[in-house]
Amino acid sequence: MKKLLTLLAFCIFLSCNSSAQKESKKKEIFKIVKTDSEWKSQLTDLEYYVLRKAGTEKRFSSSLNKNYKEGIYVCKACETPLFKSDHKYDSGSGWPSFDREIKGNVTFSTDYKIGMARTEEHCATCGGHLGHVFNDGPRETTGERHCINGVALKFIPKE
């Protein structure tokens, strides 16, 4: 009987679909708003998949992952400055990583797409999906690892 009750409790626990876990998505208003067809005509298929559909590029596929030149990283869709090269580091994750964003130019939300809460990053100007932020970055700076899809970024070298 005890085993049956334990099994029943476990099944109920796994099947719970609590609405408390689902954050209500308030419709954020961005400065740049375009239709899907407008975004598709501006972006490559991969850029569209990542920026507009919250996709993820393959690990180690971005040339920006090992880019250590001085400059600034801007949103590929709208050229809003997002990250400074001074804050870039090699996390070993396979994606460009930064220990901080340019304040005010990145917004954050919570996603549960893989069954656990993650902090998702978006361009504050156009709403494009950039990647996620984790708390396993360099402890000597912010402790944050902004794990960003390189295809969502455009690098502008310092002149």
Side-chain angles (χ1 to χ4, degrees):
M1 183 68 169
K2 189 175 181 181
K3 285 182 182 179
L4 182 61
L5 287 175
T6 303
L7 181 62
L8 181 60
F10 182 72
C11 289
I12 291 171
F13 174 76
L14 286 180
S15 66
C16 279
N17 190 7
S18 172
S19 60
Q21 289 184 346
K22 292 184 177 147
E23 192 171 284
S24 62
K25 277 200 170 180
K26 60 180 181 183
K27 192 68 175 172
E28 226 175 313
I29 306 296
F30 297 102
K31 293 176 193 167
I32 296 176
V33 178
K34 295 182 181 184
T35 65
D36 271 351
S37 60
E38 289 173 317
W39 284 122
K40 283 181 180 179
S41 69
Q42 174 187 335
L43 303 168
T44 68
D45 289 344
L46 182 57
E47 291 166 352
Y48 178 82
Y49 169 69
V50 170
L51 284 160
R52 307 315 309 170
K53 297 298 178 187
T56 302
E57 68 187 357
K58 284 183 179 179
R59 292 177 67 194
F60 301 105
S61 65
S62 173
S63 61
L64 296 179
N65 188 39
K66 296 290 185 179
N67 177 39
Y68 298 107
K69 298 174 186 166
E70 278 191 74
I72 195 150
Y73 294 83
V74 301
C75 176
K76 187 73 168 254
C78 70
E79 298 199 356
T80 295
L82 302 170
F83 304 96
K84 297 178 182 179
S85 61
D86 296 348
H87 303 136
K88 188 173 187 298
Y89 71 99
D90 186 358
S91 69
S93 67
W95 291 279
S97 297
F98 304 85
D99 69 358
R100 70 197 77 172
E101 80 284 4
I102 295 175
K103 296 287 183 204
N105 292 356
V106 175
T107 62
F108 302 91
S109 65
T110 303
D111 86 51
Y112 296 95
K113 292 176 193 135
I114 63 169
M116 60 182 273
R118 295 185 300 171
T119 302
E120 186 175 355
E121 297 187 62
H122 307 271
C123 171
T125 303
C126 71
H129 168 78
L130 304 172
H132 294 86
V133 62
F134 303 97
N135 292 320
D136 61 0
R139 294 288 168 219
E140 63 276 4
T141 59
T142 64
E144 295 178 350
R145 173 174 55 100
H146 296 257
C147 187
I148 306 300
N149 289 283
V151 73
L153 302 173
K154 176 180 170 184
F155 177 70
I156 301 175
K158 186 176 182 178
E159 304 242 350

